[in-house]
Amino acid sequence: MSRNRKAKWADPAFTVVANWRHITLHPASPVMTLTWSNLADGWKQRWDFSGEYEHLEANPKRKKLETPRRLSWRECARIQTFDAKFTPIGDTESKFTQIGNAVPPKLAEAIFTHLFSGAGLVAQKVPGARKGA
């Protein structure tokens, strides 16, 4: 895992991205700390898991993951408002790509409902146009 890409338990999730390597850590995973960085020589950074679980500070009864992990493609799909029965095709990488590149269904529904209802239409006067033409 290359980065500490993790939202706090009660905070909004980060954007679901199409690159499976950059998916957010599960909020019950331990905190990652930067242990090494050498950007000058072209190397990136090294992040390691600590023994700290920041989500337990707010509520010690919350579960913690002993084995850290990123969100699954199914968890990402639910965050994106896909139905629980939705299953994208292909391998795991392809599933993350499809989910991350998709317009969330509930967002599309809100936009298209508004457009198709005509509620967002505004009559425009065109200079020089004749009525009924």
Side-chain angles (χ1 to χ4, degrees), residues 23-72:
I23 296 297
T24 302
L25 291 170
H26 190 283
S29 293
V31 174
M32 292 184 84
T33 56
L34 180 64
T35 56
W36 182 81
S37 179
N38 187 1
L39 298 174
D41 290 336
W43 293 95
K44 297 203 176 182
Q45 300 171 329
R46 178 182 169 130
W47 292 81
D48 290 313
F49 289 100
S50 69
E52 179 186 350
Y53 291 86
E54 62 192 359
H55 70 285
L56 298 178
E57 295 169 9
N59 184 349
K61 293 182 181 181
R62 286 186 176 143
K63 293 183 180 183
K64 67 180 183 178
L65 293 176
E66 297 296 335
T67 303
R69 68 175 181 85
R70 297 201 184 275
L71 296 175
S72 69

Side-chain angles (χ1 to χ4, degrees), residues 105-121:
K106 293 290 184 185
L107 175 60
E109 179 182 30
I111 291 169
F112 286 113
T113 298
H114 184 73
L115 287 174
F116 293 152
S117 73
L121 298 177

Side-chain angles (χ1 to χ4, degrees), residues 87-130:
T87 301
I89 59 169
D91 61 13
T92 302
E93 184 176 347
S94 176
K95 289 176 182 179
F96 277 112
T97 301
Q98 291 170 62
I99 293 163
N101 282 337
V103 173
K106 293 290 184 185
L107 175 60
E109 179 182 30
I111 291 169
F112 286 113
T113 298
H114 184 73
L115 287 174
F116 293 152
S117 73
L121 298 177
V122 177
Q124 297 289 314
K125 292 185 179 183
V126 178
R130 297 181 304 172

Side-chain angles (χ1 to χ4, degrees), residues 73-95:
W73 67 262
R74 190 167 300 281
E75 290 166 328
C76 290
R78 295 300 288 147
I79 289 169
Q80 288 283 81
T81 72
F82 283 94
D83 185 84
K85 295 176 186 174
F86 171 76
T87 301
I89 59 169
D91 61 13
T92 302
E93 184 176 347
S94 176
K95 289 176 182 179

